[in-house]
Amino acid sequence: MSKSLKYAVFGAGSWATAIVKMLSENLDDIGWYMRSAYTKEHLLREQHNPNYLSSVEFHLEQLKLSNNINEMADWADVLIFVIPSAFIQTELDKLTIDISSKTIVSAVKGIVPETGLLVGEHFNEHYNVPFENIAIIAGPCHAEEVALERLSYLTISCWDSKKAQHIANSLSSDYINTKISDDVIGIEYGVMLKNIYAIAAGIAHGLGYGDNFQSILMSNAIREMKRYIKKVHKMKRNINNSAYLGDLLVTGYSTFSRNRMFGNMIGKGYTVKSAQMEMSMVAEGFYATKSAYFINEKNEKKADTPIIDAVYAILYDNKNPKKVFKKLTEKLD
Amino acid sequence: MSKSLKYAVFGAGSWATAIVKMLSENLDDIGWYMRSAYTKEHLLREQHNPNYLSSVEFHLEQLKLSNNINEMADWADVLIFVIPSAFIQTELDKLTIDISSKTIVSAVKGIVPETGLLVGEHFNEHYNVPFENIAIIAGPCHAEEVALERLSYLTISCWDSKKAQHIANSLSSDYINTKISDDVIGIEYGVMLKNIYAIAAGIAHGLGYGDNFQSILMSNAIREMKRYIKKVHKMKRNINNSAYLGDLLVTGYSTFSRNRMFGNMIGKGYTVKSAQMEMSMVAEGFYATKSAYFINEKNEKKADTPIIDAVYAILYDNKNPKKVFKKLTEKLD
């Protein structure tokens, strides 16, 4: 990959804003697509995102802002999508140009609800992007700490290791360490599953379980994640690498995680609907739970996934969280 | 093992008190040795430990309290030691009776500083207790949550699985789930090493590293623990089981962990001496760091242990924490 490849970020949430900040440490010319004309105007006027990580000041001469997804997708060579999975299809529906020759990077942490596919698979199946042109950015990484320039680590995963390294180099800086991996599918599943486990952690907390149980839940979750990913994509991987275990921990132990907050409300007795309304948003893990459950159901030999099953029963079968978790505690060890 | 075996707990700290509470759910007659005559008197008068978990009320008719270690060791069949490793030898020096035929259970989380041995090894080498009569109680378990009867899990490890099960049964209750294991050595090393990693987590926090880095540190720590234990005792084990990973997490993520607090002070610039004086106690991990470091040094082929090495350099070689951690961050991934 040439040094002069043009990068563009699609999305204007906190993680998108953090990624633009990382790229701005290295690149002179960064494309940034956002839906909202107001956000764009505000950025042009005030040099920061009005809604997320507003302490981060950008240098406008480095940024090419646009509200036109086609213009941006056409201009860039490397397209980094950082749109919540619940909204990504709505945005992609605006695309009229062919993106099959572009490098597509997903920093979306979930499943496309309309198709039940991982974001990478979705681009492959519906936009004819070959798998070697698809990459994943995985944490563990809270965007808020990127804003503070606190040391964080990313794993960039792509079958084409040169592409992975190019993207990694574009994101690396004093406060961002990167590594590369070829486990695109496994990491994307891990990123999705960890949100379910964060919901489980929240439910447990809401029900009054303590730190001792939380550590049991996390230690069972990483074993469950390993079993799950092995079924869907068998290859040699160390599940304790930071892209899997680290990301699980930073999410599962964070009181700021939206998935954990959502679970916490469920544990405290909110219905799924009222928790969603209260949060005025949908936690990624909500969709992930359904997809992960059914993907596993379809496996010839199911992976043993007591935690996913428990969260599914609560969120989709309207089962009583207290009773479901009581049973779950007997399956964990 | 017969049902009528007599259990005694040696020690009166918070973890000892929690273990007596667990036993009191099952046994009619529990021996409890404590050094302090005042603590014994207070227990007899007020039915609770004056210094630790004072909300836990005991039924005196279940307890046989004593300040005489020989009387208690003679009376009991199963001796559970829950004395900080820094003081255990001082207590054991009072023993004049032969304990070689007793079942010895260690709930000490560390290394005997005088001999540099794991507690199990220490009893084997210096008190002629055969290894099949030695068991380990491992968490993840904060004593404070046992006091609150919050669901917690223990792993009881012994080469003799019947003994392990007997001890497990004596500790199990509505709020305590137990499992057994035969990896006595591996678990005892894990319990010791996690305190070093908790110090590392504290140092990182004290230096200003955030949650993203903490998850990197923990994900590297469990990989390092696996490498380390494999060198000292090679057997098939799942390092993500709760006795290893769960215990690491409950300690490393706890702001109440004394090891983490100690590390935090070091990270904030206290000297080792002043941090110890300020805490008016010695964190288990302080001794563990030295022992773990030298045990590894003696290995023919050293395990790669960047985190232990970093903590050792700071605590024992008086190296600058900021500089040592800067270098460490380059070795983690």
Side-chain angles (χ1 to χ4, degrees), chain A residues 142 145 152-153 211-212 240 329, chain B residues 142 145 152-153 211-212 329:
Chain A
H142 289 306
E145 292 198 349
S152 305
Y153 292 62
D211 292 347
N212 290 350
N240 288 346
T329 63
Chain B
H142 289 307
E145 292 199 347
S152 305
Y153 293 63
D211 293 348
N212 289 351
T329 63

Side-chain angles (χ1 to χ4, degrees), chain B residues 142 195 198 250-252 254-262 279:
Chain B
H142 289 307
N195 287 330
V250 86
T251 310
S254 166
T255 44
F256 302 107
S257 153
R258 288 173 278 208
N259 293 291
R260 198 171 184 281
M261 272 198 284
F262 174 66
M279 292 180 67

Side-chain angles (χ1 to χ4, degrees), chain B residues 5-11 16 19-21 23-24 27-34 60-68 71-73 75-80 82:
Chain B
L5 285 178
K6 285 177 288 189
Y7 280 68
V9 172
F10 295 76
I19 289 175
V20 174
K21 176 173 163 66
L23 293 172
S24 72
L27 307 178
D28 296 329
D29 218 11
I30 305 151
W32 192 358
Y33 163 78
M34 56 207 64
L60 292 181
E61 64 274 19
Q62 282 179 287
L63 300 183
K64 177 185 169 63
L65 303 176
S66 174
N67 296 134
N68 183 327
E71 178 198 27
M72 194 50 78
W75 174 82
D77 307 296
V78 181
L79 283 54
I80 307 181
V82 208

